[in-house]
Amino acid sequence: MIYNYQKHLIESGKSIKEGLQRLNDLAADAILFVVCSEGKLKGSITDGDVRRGFLRGLNMENRVDDFIQENPKFIRKGNYTIHELIEYRTKNFK
C-alpha cells in the first residue's frame, strides 16, 4: 500500500482554521507539514502546537506559520535501517 503523504502538507500562509480542519480530518495521524510554494519544509504543526499558540495569545485570525515548530525531526526514505526506524517508533515519533 502506498501512503499518500500529501494529505499531511499545508501551504504556508493558510489560516489556522484551515489547519485545524485538516488536523481534525487526519485524526490519529494529526500532524501537518507547512511548506512554501516551492515545496520546501518550513515546519510542522500539531494539535498541541495550536493549543500552545492560543495560550501565547495567538487566535483564529493567525496563519499556520505563527504556530509551527521550526526544524521538525524527519527521516528520508532509504537513509535508515529497520532497527533505527523501530527505535524512532518506540520513542513515539510519527
Side-chain angles (χ1 to χ4, degrees):
M1 178 171 107
I2 297 176
Y3 188 78
N4 181 8
Y5 71 90
Q6 292 191 339
K7 65 184 179 178
H8 289 274
L9 302 181
I10 189 167
E11 194 168 316
S12 176
K14 296 292 184 178
S15 72
I16 194 58
K17 184 175 182 178
E18 182 175 339
L20 283 170
Q21 182 61 54
R22 299 272 306 281
L23 286 169
N24 189 61
D25 293 344
L26 290 168
D29 287 337
I31 187 168
L32 291 173
F33 296 100
V34 180
V35 295
C36 68
S37 59
E38 294 83 31
K40 183 178 177 187
L41 179 65
K42 292 186 74 175
S44 65
I45 188 169
T46 64
D47 288 334
D49 297 322
V50 176
R51 182 180 63 249
R52 287 184 287 279
F54 287 149
L55 290 171
R56 287 192 329 263
L58 298 176
N59 61 52
M60 292 297 277
E61 300 300 316
N62 287 93
R63 302 289 168 203
V64 292
D65 306 77
D66 301 322
F67 293 85
I68 63 172
Q69 287 293 321
E70 295 177 345
N71 304 312
K73 293 183 192 271
F74 65 93
I75 60 172
R76 292 185 191 275
K77 184 177 179 178
N79 285 358
Y80 295 88
T81 67
I82 189 67
H83 300 291
E84 290 170 316
L85 294 175
I86 291 169
E87 183 178 336
Y88 285 136
R89 288 300 286 180
T90 61
K91 292 180 180 177
N92 206 27
F93 290 128
K94 296 184 178 178

